[in-house]
Amino acid sequence: MTKLHVLNEILTEFDETISSELNVDPLGLLVIWSSYGQDIFRRRISSISNDVRNFTLNLFNHAVIRSLIEDDGVVLGKGLRNDPAYAGRGKDSAAFKQACLIYLENAFTYAMIAAQNNKDVETTGVLGISKARRRWDETQGNPRLLFSHESNAHVLVRQNSLGVSGRYKTPLVEMKFFDGAYDYALPESRVQWEKVRTQLLVKSKPLANLHKLAREHLAELLADVRRIPECSFSDLPTELKRAFVSTFRSPVVVGTYTRDFWLAVTELDQGAPGALYEVLNQEWTSANQRQERQTADVFAQAAANSSLTADDKTKLEYVRVLEPFLAEMDLLLGVMLSAKSQTLGEATNKWKSLGRDARTLPDRAAPIETNTAMQAQASGTASVRLSELLALARVKNIEQQMEGLLHYHEKVMQARGQSPWLRLLGGNQLKVDVRIRQLPAKDDRPIGAWVHHYYLPQFRNLLSGLRGCA
């Protein structure tokens, strides 16, 4: 196996912190707030995994693959058996599972394109559909579907990580449907797959029918003697294409038949996320019109839920203590980035004009510094960065706080192999090398205002789909 193939076997998950940090997170705060946010949601949702249709499509694809692996009657053709990537493991190899995932994702996407003129078919949110449309046009509506784990079968560049299976892998791992190597036979996994059978496939006839059709088609395809079996879209069974569309035609449709299942297996209606769930439910009137509350208000109301355990209440309170501190750090950097060139004194006056002073950062940092359990929850990079921010906040002089924040920013950017956004010349002159930031009005950013949302918009989006609402 080549070095590239070895890497492809390993690098199959999408890391949202990589791209998200590069251009919009100059202080590297994402890794801090996401650590506390994910402790609430237990990695069930994220900025790239919060769509009920994609959740269900990924789980469905794995359900098909699992059934093929467990069925001894499904036999691989000579070409696949002799593929070195299968390494004698056959249907239990990573290459086989990846090939199945790619094939099923592409079949679904092309089926949606073919039906996109139907008024009840919603293609927005289908991952990779823009690239797929180009392939569709290039082939006059008859693209090839290749059964392969290699990049020649991909429609979306780096589809193993950027497609449905990559973006929605972590939540299913966290829910114990399989581990990072796609092992479906773990003891805890058997319980989850039994729920799929009894609570999803049995109760949803369209999904059960699609499962049957997809299995039958793949079983036939896998018997092909070629090393890379393939099927043109026109030869894909018509009934299978129709079933893909009718079952997954929109998040609203998927939400109507999966709501109870997903709430049960994610447990997002219980504990700390459950308290947020109750508050968000109040945002919907009988006419299903959203009346969204501010993030800080949602967390405050959720933390006041009397049914919460002490541990779940603590998770919410940690966020309520953390965010006012991170928000002020973000604002201070904004002040420093508000002019192409300014002295530390001029920046200090701007900070004061926003109602801040030398005590603003220390006061916001104090409840975090005195809570060792809260600090211990963060680990790795998140822990290091939080500790460094707390340290620079101890300084009682505004100009020294800005110098400390500048050095912290330089360290974050250096770790990324990038240049800092601003420099300090002559020990007093701030020089900005990127587009300047527009400062908010004082009334628009009162002390304690939040700027990070801790996956609340993503939770809203998932719940919107689960409600069966557009």
Side-chain angles (χ1 to χ4, degrees), residues 46-57:
S46 72
S47 61
I48 48 98
S49 53
N50 54 77
D51 178 90
V52 66
R53 175 167 59 183
N54 287 326
F55 256 112
T56 308
L57 177 64

PDB file of all heavy atoms in Angstrom, residues 46-57:
ATOM      1  N   SER A  46     -22.340  19.936  15.536  1.00  0.00           N
ATOM      2  CA  SER A  46     -21.232  20.876  15.387  1.00  0.00           C
ATOM      3  C   SER A  46     -21.591  21.849  14.277  1.00  0.00           C
ATOM      4  O   SER A  46     -22.693  21.813  13.726  1.00  0.00           O
ATOM      5  CB  SER A  46     -19.934  20.133  15.043  1.00  0.00           C
ATOM      6  OG  SER A  46     -19.979  19.653  13.708  1.00  0.00           O
ATOM      7  N   SER A  47     -20.651  22.707  13.928  1.00  0.00           N
ATOM      8  CA  SER A  47     -20.915  23.672  12.867  1.00  0.00           C
ATOM      9  C   SER A  47     -21.043  23.004  11.509  1.00  0.00           C
ATOM     10  O   SER A  47     -21.592  23.595  10.575  1.00  0.00           O
ATOM     11  CB  SER A  47     -19.801  24.728  12.822  1.00  0.00           C
ATOM     12  OG  SER A  47     -18.556  24.117  12.543  1.00  0.00           O
ATOM     13  N   ILE A  48     -20.569  21.758  11.366  1.00  0.00           N
ATOM     14  CA  ILE A  48     -20.658  21.080  10.067  1.00  0.00           C
ATOM     15  C   ILE A  48     -21.521  19.814  10.136  1.00  0.00           C
ATOM     16  O   ILE A  48     -21.636  19.091   9.146  1.00  0.00           O
ATOM     17  CB  ILE A  48     -19.253  20.752   9.502  1.00  0.00           C
ATOM     18  CG1 ILE A  48     -18.357  20.090  10.553  1.00  0.00           C
ATOM     19  CG2 ILE A  48     -18.578  22.015   9.001  1.00  0.00           C
ATOM     20  CD1 ILE A  48     -18.278  18.621  10.487  1.00  0.00           C
ATOM     21  N   SER A  49     -22.154  19.566  11.260  1.00  0.00           N
ATOM     22  CA  SER A  49     -23.053  18.409  11.357  1.00  0.00           C
ATOM     23  C   SER A  49     -24.271  18.793  12.186  1.00  0.00           C
ATOM     24  O   SER A  49     -24.266  18.653  13.408  1.00  0.00           O
ATOM     25  CB  SER A  49     -22.331  17.203  11.977  1.00  0.00           C
ATOM     26  OG  SER A  49     -21.735  17.549  13.220  1.00  0.00           O
ATOM     27  N   ASN A  50     -25.299  19.293  11.484  1.00  0.00           N
ATOM     28  CA  ASN A  50     -26.507  19.730  12.197  1.00  0.00           C
ATOM     29  C   ASN A  50     -27.751  19.670  11.318  1.00  0.00           C
ATOM     30  O   ASN A  50     -28.747  20.304  11.616  1.00  0.00           O
ATOM     31  CB  ASN A  50     -26.326  21.150  12.736  1.00  0.00           C
ATOM     32  CG  ASN A  50     -25.906  22.142  11.663  1.00  0.00           C
ATOM     33  OD1 ASN A  50     -26.724  22.588  10.851  1.00  0.00           O
ATOM     34  ND2 ASN A  50     -24.633  22.503  11.639  1.00  0.00           N
ATOM     35  N   ASP A  51     -27.680  18.896  10.238  1.00  0.00           N
ATOM     36  CA  ASP A  51     -28.801  18.792   9.308  1.00  0.00           C
ATOM     37  C   ASP A  51     -29.423  17.403   9.424  1.00  0.00           C
ATOM     38  O   ASP A  51     -28.726  16.384   9.260  1.00  0.00           O
ATOM     39  CB  ASP A  51     -28.313  19.026   7.874  1.00  0.00           C
ATOM     40  CG  ASP A  51     -29.422  18.878   6.850  1.00  0.00           C
ATOM     41  OD1 ASP A  51     -30.087  19.877   6.551  1.00  0.00           O
ATOM     42  OD2 ASP A  51     -29.625  17.746   6.356  1.00  0.00           O
ATOM     43  N   VAL A  52     -30.713  17.340   9.703  1.00  0.00           N
ATOM     44  CA  VAL A  52     -31.347  16.055   9.968  1.00  0.00           C
ATOM     45  C   VAL A  52     -31.314  15.136   8.754  1.00  0.00           C
ATOM     46  O   VAL A  52     -31.190  13.907   8.899  1.00  0.00           O
ATOM     47  CB  VAL A  52     -32.802  16.259  10.467  1.00  0.00           C
ATOM     48  CG1 VAL A  52     -33.685  16.873   9.383  1.00  0.00           C
ATOM     49  CG2 VAL A  52     -33.394  14.955  10.956  1.00  0.00           C
ATOM     50  N   ARG A  53     -31.393  15.684   7.547  1.00  0.00           N
ATOM     51  CA  ARG A  53     -31.339  14.830   6.361  1.00  0.00           C
ATOM     52  C   ARG A  53     -29.968  14.179   6.222  1.00  0.00           C
ATOM     53  O   ARG A  53     -29.864  12.977   5.968  1.00  0.00           O
ATOM     54  CB  ARG A  53     -31.668  15.625   5.096  1.00  0.00           C
ATOM     55  CG  ARG A  53     -31.502  14.801   3.824  1.00  0.00           C
ATOM     56  CD  ARG A  53     -32.119  15.451   2.605  1.00  0.00           C
ATOM     57  NE  ARG A  53     -31.557  16.767   2.317  1.00  0.00           N
ATOM     58  CZ  ARG A  53     -31.982  17.553   1.321  1.00  0.00           C
ATOM     59  NH1 ARG A  53     -32.988  17.152   0.548  1.00  0.00           N
ATOM     60  NH2 ARG A  53     -31.440  18.729   1.108  1.00  0.00           N
ATOM     61  N   ASN A  54     -28.908  14.966   6.397  1.00  0.00           N
ATOM     62  CA  ASN A  54     -27.570  14.409   6.271  1.00  0.00           C
ATOM     63  C   ASN A  54     -27.250  13.435   7.402  1.00  0.00           C
ATOM     64  O   ASN A  54     -26.563  12.434   7.195  1.00  0.00           O
ATOM     65  CB  ASN A  54     -26.532  15.532   6.222  1.00  0.00           C
ATOM     66  CG  ASN A  54     -26.559  16.268   4.897  1.00  0.00           C
ATOM     67  OD1 ASN A  54     -26.824  15.680   3.859  1.00  0.00           O
ATOM     68  ND2 ASN A  54     -26.297  17.562   4.929  1.00  0.00           N
ATOM     69  N   PHE A  55     -27.738  13.740   8.610  1.00  0.00           N
ATOM     70  CA  PHE A  55     -27.604  12.791   9.714  1.00  0.00           C
ATOM     71  C   PHE A  55     -28.199  11.439   9.312  1.00  0.00           C
ATOM     72  O   PHE A  55     -27.582  10.381   9.472  1.00  0.00           O
ATOM     73  CB  PHE A  55     -28.353  13.313  10.941  1.00  0.00           C
ATOM     74  CG  PHE A  55     -27.471  13.877  12.019  1.00  0.00           C
ATOM     75  CD1 PHE A  55     -27.496  15.228  12.309  1.00  0.00           C
ATOM     76  CD2 PHE A  55     -26.626  13.070  12.753  1.00  0.00           C
ATOM     77  CE1 PHE A  55     -26.698  15.768  13.305  1.00  0.00           C
ATOM     78  CE2 PHE A  55     -25.822  13.587  13.756  1.00  0.00           C
ATOM     79  CZ  PHE A  55     -25.859  14.946  14.036  1.00  0.00           C
ATOM     80  N   THR A  56     -29.422  11.494   8.801  1.00  0.00           N
ATOM     81  CA  THR A  56     -30.155  10.267   8.490  1.00  0.00           C
ATOM     82  C   THR A  56     -29.557   9.550   7.289  1.00  0.00           C
ATOM     83  O   THR A  56     -29.457   8.311   7.269  1.00  0.00           O
ATOM     84  CB  THR A  56     -31.636  10.591   8.241  1.00  0.00           C
ATOM     85  OG1 THR A  56     -32.147  11.366   9.332  1.00  0.00           O
ATOM     86  CG2 THR A  56     -32.457   9.323   8.100  1.00  0.00           C
ATOM     87  N   LEU A  57     -29.132  10.309   6.270  1.00  0.00           N
ATOM     88  CA  LEU A  57     -28.517   9.703   5.100  1.00  0.00           C
ATOM     89  C   LEU A  57     -27.247   8.955   5.489  1.00  0.00           C
ATOM     90  O   LEU A  57     -27.023   7.823   5.034  1.00  0.00           O
ATOM     91  CB  LEU A  57     -28.191  10.784   4.068  1.00  0.00           C
ATOM     92  CG  LEU A  57     -27.467  10.304   2.797  1.00  0.00           C
ATOM     93  CD1 LEU A  57     -28.353   9.356   2.002  1.00  0.00           C
ATOM     94  CD2 LEU A  57     -27.050  11.498   1.945  1.00  0.00           C
TER      95      LEU A  57
END
